[in-house]
Structures are given as structure tokens and as C-alpha cells.
């Protein structure tokens, strides 16, 4: 994983996933973010790049197709495809399934998360604010002018991207 810091070699990173005797993760600062990441675009990559820069190890909790169906959403690409694309991204170290809204505290504990990062559209949301009891919560500015629904709309109307 070359981008962040070659000095953190695979060995060091692997050791960061060991749980030390007191149950805490030793070593690296660990970041977690959530999303569907459908029709992957530059808004997503800029979010992941900035999230990765907040630590040394980035976990992405990816909405499953079933979880999205429960929200009345259907992604263009299924979970397996969206996971494959995320795992190919240099900023991403681990992809886990997001099956429900309620798993976040468990995720923070299980993966030894130091900071949860989301785009600004989630700022102040109860879905994330309660995590401040367990870790830092950071909201980053969304990238203007791009969203998955916008891409879908442009493709439907034949309009080019702005
Ligand atoms: N994002 C961004 N800029 C954009 C579009 C998206 O910064 N132009 C960010 C969103 O704020 C989010 C992440 O990219 O943090 C993923 O976006 P979506 O796939 O749309 O995620 P969302 O549907 O908000 O799902 O439990 C929370 C949900 O899983 C979040």
C-alpha cells in the first residue's frame, strides 16, 4: 500500500490489526466511513482520499443491497461489484458490510476505530453524533456538482456532465 507512508510496511500494518492484551488496537490511527459508493465518482474518491489522510488505516462499511432495499434504494451495481471496486482503491485498507443502521458502535469497537468520517450531508445526524462517546466524528465538505443520482439523471436525459 504505497500512497500513505511506505515506512508503514505491511508487517507494521498487519500488527495494527492485532488486539493487545487490554483489548485496544496498538499502532496505527484507524478511520471508518460508511456509504453505498454506487456508480463510483470523483466525489467518492475525494472523500476517501481525505478520510485516509486522517489516519493510517481506512475501513469502509459498504451498504449491502438488502440494507439499501430497506431504505427504498437500489444501487446500479450490486454489493459484490461495489466492494470489488472499493478494494481496488489505494486509500482503502478494508471493506466490511453495512447491514443496518445500528451496527456502528460495534464496528467502532470491533475494528478499534479512532475516527469516523462522513460527508457534510451527514453533519449533526443522530446516525453519527452518538458515536462521539466512542471515537472522534469528522464531517468533510461534500464535493459539489456530483452525485450518483445526478449521474443517473444525466444518463437518462442524455445530458453531458457539467
Ligand atoms: N460524498 C461526497 N461528495 C459527493 C457525493 C458523496 O463527499 N459529491 C460522500 C458522502 O457524503 C458519503 C460518501 O461520499 O460520506 C458516500 O456517499 P454515498 O454512497 O451517497 O453514501 P450515503 O448514501 O450517504 O450512505 O450509514 C450511512 C450510509 O451508508 C451513507
Amino acid at each position: 500500500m504505497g500512497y500513505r507512508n511506505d515506512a508503514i510496511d505491511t508487517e507494521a500494518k498487519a500488527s495494527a490489526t492485532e488486539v493487545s492484551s487490554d483489548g485496544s488496537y496498538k499502532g496505527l490511527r484507524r478511520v471508518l466511513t460508511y456509504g453505498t459508493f454506487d456508480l463510483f465518482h470523483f466525489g467518492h474518491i475525494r472523500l476517501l482520499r481525505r478520510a485516509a489522510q486522517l489516519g493510517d488505516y481506512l475501513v469502509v462499511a459498504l451498504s449491502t443491497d438488502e440494507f439499501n432495499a430497506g431504505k427504498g434504494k437500489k444501487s446500479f451495481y450490486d454489493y459484490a461489484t461495489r466492494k470489488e471496486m472499493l478494494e481496488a482503491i489505494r486509500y482503502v485498507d478494508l471493506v466490511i458490510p453495512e447491514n443496518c443502521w445500528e451496527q456502528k458502535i460495534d464496528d467502532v469497537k470491533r475494528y478499534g476505530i479512532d475516527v469516523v468520517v462522513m460527508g457534510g450531508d451527514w453533519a449533526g445526524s443522530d446516525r453519527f453524533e452518538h458515536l462521539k462517546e466512542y471515537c472522534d466524528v469528522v464531517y468533510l465538505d461534500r464535493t459539489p456538482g456530483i452525485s450518483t443520482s445526478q449521474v443517473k439523471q444525466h444518463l437518462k436525459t442524455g445530458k453531458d456532465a457539467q
Side-chain angles (χ1 to χ4, degrees):
M1 191 75 64
Y3 116 87
R4 255 197 300 281
N5 175 348
D6 290 332
I8 304 179
D9 64 16
T10 318
E11 190 59 33
K13 190 169 281 188
S15 70
T17 55
E18 285 161 22
V19 181
S20 49
S21 52
D22 66 0
S24 67
Y25 283 83
K26 58 186 180 195
L28 309 175
R29 182 164 169 78
R30 305 163 70 78
V31 185
L32 169 64
T33 190
Y34 291 81
T36 301
F37 296 99
D38 191 29
L39 293 178
F40 200 81
H41 55 65
F42 62 91
H44 293 141
I45 202 75
R46 291 178 189 172
L47 186 283
L48 293 174
R49 179 193 300 124
R50 287 174 291 156
Q53 287 165 347
L54 293 175
D56 308 287
Y57 188 90
L58 176 59
V59 181
V60 178
L62 181 63
S63 307
T64 60
D65 299 329
E66 296 73 14
F67 179 47
N68 277 337
K71 295 187 262 179
K73 277 171 69 171
K74 183 169 179 357
S75 56
F76 182 81
Y77 289 118
D78 66 8
Y79 176 79
T81 305
R82 289 181 287 119
K83 182 171 185 283
E84 180 187 353
M85 291 171 77
L86 279 173
E87 287 175 336
I89 293 170
R90 62 193 305 191
Y91 309 121
V92 177
D93 293 289
L94 177 68
V95 179
I96 62 172
E98 178 187 26
N99 296 299
C100 63
W101 293 110
E102 298 75 19
Q103 70 182 67
K104 297 185 174 63
I105 295 173
D106 286 344
D107 293 340
V108 169
K109 291 178 179 171
R110 180 172 303 133
Y111 295 96
I113 299 301
D114 300 289
V115 52
V116 166
V117 179
M118 291 299 290
D121 45 319
W122 290 94
S125 161
D126 297 345
R127 301 286 191 194
F128 291 93
E129 286 297 294
H130 69 289
L131 298 175
K132 287 181 175 171
E133 224 178 296
Y134 305 93
C135 63
D136 295 341
V137 178
V138 171
Y139 302 107
L140 301 172
D141 291 344
R142 274 177 72 93
T143 300
I146 182 74
S147 70
T148 301
S149 35
Q150 226 176 311
V151 170
K152 284 180 178 173
Q153 189 54 32
H154 284 173
L155 290 173
K156 212 183 282 177
T157 56
K159 270 175 59 183
D160 294 337
Q162 302 304 336

